[in-house]
Amino acid sequence: MSNNNEIKIALKSWENEQTRFNKVLDKISDETLLQEVAPAKNTGIYLLGHLAAVTDAMMPLLGLGQKLYPDAEKIFITTPDKAGQAMPTAAEVKTMFAKVNTAFSEAIKNMPEEEWLHKHNSVSAEDFAKEPHRNKLSVLLSRTVHQAYHGGQISLLV
Amino acid sequence: MSNNNEIKIALKSWENEQTRFNKVLDKISDETLLQEVAPAKNTGIYLLGHLAAVTDAMMPLLGLGQKLYPDAEKIFITTPDKAGQAMPTAAEVKTMFAKVNTAFSEAIKNMPEEEWLHKHNSVSAEDFAKEPHRNKLSVLLSRTVHQAYHGGQISLLV
């Protein structure tokens, strides 16, 4: 069996996560998305924006292109929820999530499979020589798990 | 690069998930674990028992041995939460989760790496010939994502 199969499994895991996540998201109205997932916890809109921003950041990290929403990092990653930042509307954040995921899916569709085994852009060539598991595939896996974590929280709004 | 690296990445992803999960669990008292993760949603104890039962079920599924807690499936998988089933105490469920994970970690430590690419025990030889991605590694990945999903929910009790 070739490397290809392991790579396919990881890509399939990402796709499955997107499908599952979008099924949940389709059941959440814009109004409900503004609510906290549990009392005094993050709002659905913040978590959705956070996931969109994290996927968008994979574009430069994996050498796939520029971010679509460079401002999202400040609003949804470096600033915590309910810290007074100006926030797009729920509909805008849903659109952002969909656009980022479409762009990312398109970009990885055109990526040669062996490229997944290359280093990602936040590891130096020296470190990668010592730690060859710090490749693009490991980034995708870690983001899949990260989305599932917050996806479980957002699903509480259904 | 050998197959080994992709397998190592998936195993590392499972280990990281356990570490992260246990850090959260350590912060949740037995009393708090009995609470719902959000109003009218599953309780922490049910979700923890559910995760333990799912990991326990990987033992026979991956050909690693028998389940440690064969009764857990009925209580925590086939029966939904708050359906009147007799439930172990929070301390017992925490112990169950720890024991199952220790046994599973030990079992996969002794598993030859190439074994991850073999078929798991709920796919037939014929189907596996057509769909070689239905291997043991894909089961582990899917369980990692599944645990992260419910882990995100249990973390709301912190």
Side-chain angles (χ1 to χ4, degrees):
Chain A
M1 183 169 302
S2 70
N3 272 329
N4 287 3
N5 241 315
E6 286 73 85
I7 295 172
K8 281 199 179 78
I9 289 168
L11 292 175
K12 187 78 192 156
S13 170
W14 171 262
E15 279 168 37
N16 289 346
E17 169 55 30
Q18 300 309 317
T19 306
R20 238 184 341 245
F21 187 91
N22 282 313
K23 267 188 202 156
V24 168
L25 194 56
D26 283 348
K27 293 183 193 155
I28 303 174
S29 69
D30 291 357
E31 203 183 344
T32 302
L33 197 65
L34 301 176
Q35 295 173 13
E36 293 167 338
V37 297
K41 302 293 178 179
N42 286 322
T43 58
I45 186 175
Y46 180 82
L47 291 175
L48 185 64
H50 176 72
L51 291 173
V54 166
T55 298
D56 203 18
M58 273 200 288
M59 298 293 280
L61 185 58
L62 303 188
L64 297 166
Q66 293 305 302
K67 288 181 188 177
L68 297 184
Y69 296 91
D71 299 339
E73 180 171 342
K74 182 141 196 282
I75 305 171
F76 294 111
I77 299 182
T78 54
T79 309
D81 195 9
K82 298 175 270 182
Q85 69 268 50
M87 186 85 84
T89 66
E92 284 167 345
V93 175
K94 281 182 178 176
T95 300
M96 175 170 89
F97 183 82
K99 283 200 175 172
V100 161
N101 273 285
T102 303
F104 183 72
S105 292
E106 279 303 310
I108 62 175
K109 210 181 285 175
N110 299 319
M111 187 166 156
E113 266 192 354
E114 67 272 19
E115 184 77 22
W116 285 107
L117 308 178
H118 296 178
K119 79 175 193 65
H120 60 71
N121 290 334
S122 358
V123 60
S124 70
E126 291 84 29
D127 286 347
F128 186 63
K130 282 177 277 178
E131 302 174 295
H133 60 274
R134 297 177 70 181
N135 59 26
K136 297 183 180 187
L137 198 66
S138 73
V139 172
L140 186 72
L141 260 187
S142 123
R143 297 306 181 271
T144 306
V145 171
H146 175 253
Q147 181 169 307
Y149 180 88
H150 292 304
Q153 297 172 333
I154 291 175
S155 76
L156 298 171
L157 292 176
V158 172
Chain B
M1 183 169 304
S2 69
N3 273 329
N4 287 3
N5 241 316
E6 286 75 84
I7 295 172
K8 279 198 179 77
I9 289 167
L11 292 175
K12 188 80 192 153
S13 171
W14 170 262
E15 279 168 36
N16 289 346
E17 169 54 30
Q18 299 311 317
T19 306
R20 240 186 338 247
F21 187 91
N22 282 313
K23 265 187 201 156
V24 168
L25 194 57
D26 283 347
K27 293 181 193 155
I28 303 174
S29 70
D30 291 357
E31 204 181 345
T32 302
L33 197 64
L34 301 176
Q35 295 174 13
E36 293 168 338
V37 297
K41 302 293 179 180
N42 287 321
T43 58
I45 185 176
Y46 180 82
L47 291 175
L48 186 64
H50 176 72
L51 291 173
V54 166
T55 298
D56 203 17
M58 273 201 287
M59 298 292 280
L61 186 58
L62 302 189
L64 296 166
Q66 294 305 304
K67 289 182 186 176
L68 296 184
Y69 296 91
D71 298 339
E73 180 171 342
K74 179 138 199 280
I75 306 170
F76 295 111
I77 300 182
T78 54
T79 309
D81 196 10
K82 297 175 269 183
Q85 70 268 53
M87 186 86 84
T89 66
E92 284 166 345
V93 175
K94 281 182 178 175
T95 301
M96 176 170 87
F97 183 81
K99 284 201 175 171
V100 160
N101 273 286
T102 303
F104 183 73
S105 292
E106 278 304 310
I108 62 176
K109 211 181 285 172
N110 298 320
M111 188 166 155
E113 267 191 354
E114 67 272 19
E115 183 77 22
W116 285 106
L117 308 178
H118 294 179
K119 79 175 195 65
H120 59 72
N121 289 336
S122 5
V123 60
S124 69
E126 291 83 28
D127 286 349
F128 187 63
K130 284 178 275 179
E131 302 174 294
H133 60 274
R134 297 176 70 181
N135 59 26
K136 296 183 179 186
L137 197 66
S138 73
V139 172
L140 186 72
L141 260 187
S142 124
R143 298 308 181 270
T144 306
V145 171
H146 175 253
Q147 182 169 309
Y149 181 89
H150 292 305
Q153 297 172 334
I154 291 175
S155 76
L156 298 171
L157 292 176
V158 173

